[in-house]
Amino acid sequence: MAKYIHFLMGLTLLALAPICLCHKTYGGYLYPQFYDRSCPRAQEIVHSIVAKAVAKETRMAASLLRLHFHDCFVKGCDASILLDSTGAITSEKRSNPNRNSARGFEVIDEIKSALEKECPQTVSCADIMALAARDSTVLAGGPSWVVPLGRRDSKGASLSGSNNNIPAPNNTFQTILTKFKLQGLDIVDLVALSGSHTIGNSRCVSFRQRLYNQSGNSQPDFTLDQSYAAQLRTRCPRSGGDQNLFVLDFVTPKKFDNSYFKNLLSFKGLLSSDQVLVTKNTVSLELVKKYAADNDLFFEQFAVSMIKMGNISPLTGSRGEIRKNCRKINA
């Protein structure tokens, strides 16, 4: 009887045990409990400041999520995107994907400032961004996941990496997939992570080509629903209005859900880089159909893919540093 109870307890523990979220990196492991002793309130502090920022401006959830993505695709998840330009550093904030569009830096500054008071030079800016991306997703109604921690901050930035590695709105499907594969991500990650476009905005300049001159022949993109296109043209003219903002998901713009995928199947994806998931590849089309039909499946895969993305080439061990100020390297 005692053996049987022991066996049952073992099964229960197995059922409760999380999938190992320890990710081996060059200098050590990333693991969720990294700050449990050195800064036990770290996650609580990040969450409270992100919650305050999102309550003030809903759009901030998408901005913080995007910041983590734009950081990880350049030299790995090392907070290089946060560095301002100095004599020795040319900031990634100047790159085409980030100029006039990357935002949320002040929220990261506020979190860093609070954490420096709580536990000086302990929590990296890179980990702050990973946690803020998760908290933003949850606050918008999306899935949660356990964030592996222990990243350190880079001592440099890469303007060329930012210009070349981050997928652009007008890239072909193959180019986007190649950019994901170079980061160790696959087609499933590509489709699931594109689902982050269920929240947030895009500027007219990012999709104008689709409305007026998709292939350089003065013709619109016919894979875009024409009544939707006509609606978009009213605020995105042939010239001017570059910075006019449009919601990426017009059905539930502030809610993290699978409407994005349903929109793609109705040919109402705002960006060309969204719509190609349906028009250019049968594998991605099938994934879009699956996520459009099953919100839980989308949430599950999004969480898995975010953990995977957050593990792109982190600095660990003695590599990099823990910046005191996320905008500049330590003196």
Side-chain angles (χ1 to χ4, degrees):
M1 185 67 181
K3 271 186 183 173
Y4 179 66
I5 290 168
H6 186 69
F7 170 71
L8 279 183
M9 281 172 70
L11 281 183
T12 308
L13 286 171
L14 271 176
L16 293 173
I19 300 161
C20 181
L21 296 169
C22 313
H23 291 274
K24 184 79 174 88
T25 63
Y26 294 111
Y29 285 93
L30 294 185
Y31 54 97
Q33 303 80 13
F34 191 83
Y35 298 111
D36 281 8
R37 288 187 177 172
S38 59
C39 194
R41 288 188 60 238
Q43 298 205 38
E44 181 193 323
I45 289 168
V46 175
H47 182 269
S48 69
I49 295 171
V50 171
K52 187 179 71 175
V54 171
K56 188 177 167 188
E57 184 198 13
T58 320
R59 182 185 170 206
M60 190 52 72
S63 300
L64 292 170
L65 181 54
R66 185 170 182 258
L67 211 50
H68 181 44
F69 173 70
H70 280 213
D71 180 50
C72 290
F73 267 61
V74 184
K75 306 194 315 93
C77 308
D78 61 1
S80 60
I81 193 173
L82 302 178
L83 291 169
D84 287 338
S85 290
T86 62
I89 292 169
T90 306
S91 177
E92 291 169 20
K93 294 172 186 178
R94 293 183 179 183
S95 72
N96 292 328
N98 295 330
R99 196 173 55 244
N100 297 325
S101 71
R103 57 200 299 279
F105 300 109
E106 296 77 12
V107 179
I108 302 297
D109 290 340
E110 189 183 340
I111 296 168
K112 183 61 178 168
S113 172
L115 285 169
E116 283 301 303
K117 284 194 187 83
E118 177 79 12
C119 25
Q121 270 192 281
T122 303
V123 183
S124 68
C125 302
D127 277 346
I128 289 171
M129 281 203 290
L131 289 167
R134 188 269 314 273
D135 292 347
S136 293
T137 303
V138 174
L139 287 160
S144 185
W145 58 92
V146 179
V147 180
L149 300 163
R151 299 165 191 79
R152 288 165 65 85
D153 302 322
S154 70
K155 296 180 183 179
S158 174
L159 181 67
S160 61
S162 189
N163 275 321
N164 298 326
N165 298 5
I166 297 168
N170 55 354
N171 278 163
T172 64
F173 176 83
Q174 200 49 55
T175 299
I176 296 166
L177 183 58
T178 300
K179 286 180 178 181
F180 268 74
K181 284 184 172 173
L182 287 171
Q183 305 298 343
L185 302 172
D186 59 24
I187 195 165
V188 177
D189 301 312
L190 163 57
V191 178
L193 292 173
S194 294
S196 62
H197 285 177
T198 173
I199 54 172
N201 299 332
S202 185
R203 298 171 299 153
C204 163
V205 70
S206 300
F207 61 87
R208 174 183 284 126
Q209 187 181 341
R210 297 190 77 196
L211 302 178
Y212 303 101
N213 189 23
Q214 176 68 354
S215 308
N217 58 358
S218 299
Q219 293 296 310
D221 180 354
F222 292 109
T223 68
L224 181 63
D225 177 87
Q226 292 309 296
S227 64
Y228 180 47
Q231 208 180 321
L232 295 172
R233 283 189 199 100
T234 61
R235 284 183 49 242
C236 186
R238 273 181 192 274
S239 62
D242 283 9
Q243 307 302 321
N244 288 356
L245 290 175
F246 294 77
V247 292
L248 285 158
D249 166 11
F250 69 94
V251 178
T252 53
K254 294 177 180 180
K255 188 168 191 288
F256 198 103
D257 60 18
N258 65 342
S259 288
Y260 164 83
F261 297 105
K262 295 174 185 175
N263 295 343
L264 294 188
L265 295 175
S266 306
F267 297 96
K268 291 176 181 174
L270 185 64
L271 305 178
S272 176
S273 54
D274 292 324
Q275 201 59 59
V276 292
L277 299 180
V278 160
T279 59
K280 298 295 181 187
N281 184 279
T282 52
V283 177
S284 63
L285 169 60
E286 287 312 308
L287 287 164
V288 168
K289 285 178 179 172
K290 278 183 181 174
Y291 300 148
D294 189 340
N295 194 62
D296 290 343
L297 183 68
F298 162 48
F299 276 22
E300 198 177 301
Q301 185 56 51
F302 186 81
V304 169
S305 295
M306 281 298 291
I307 292 171
K308 197 169 163 187
M309 185 189 83
N311 194 47
I312 298 171
S313 309
L315 299 172
T316 55
S318 59
R319 296 160 77 232
E321 64 180 14
I322 307 295
R323 283 185 222 142
K324 294 179 200 172
N325 176 338
C326 291
R327 293 174 181 264
K328 55 187 187 186
I329 59 171
N330 298 336

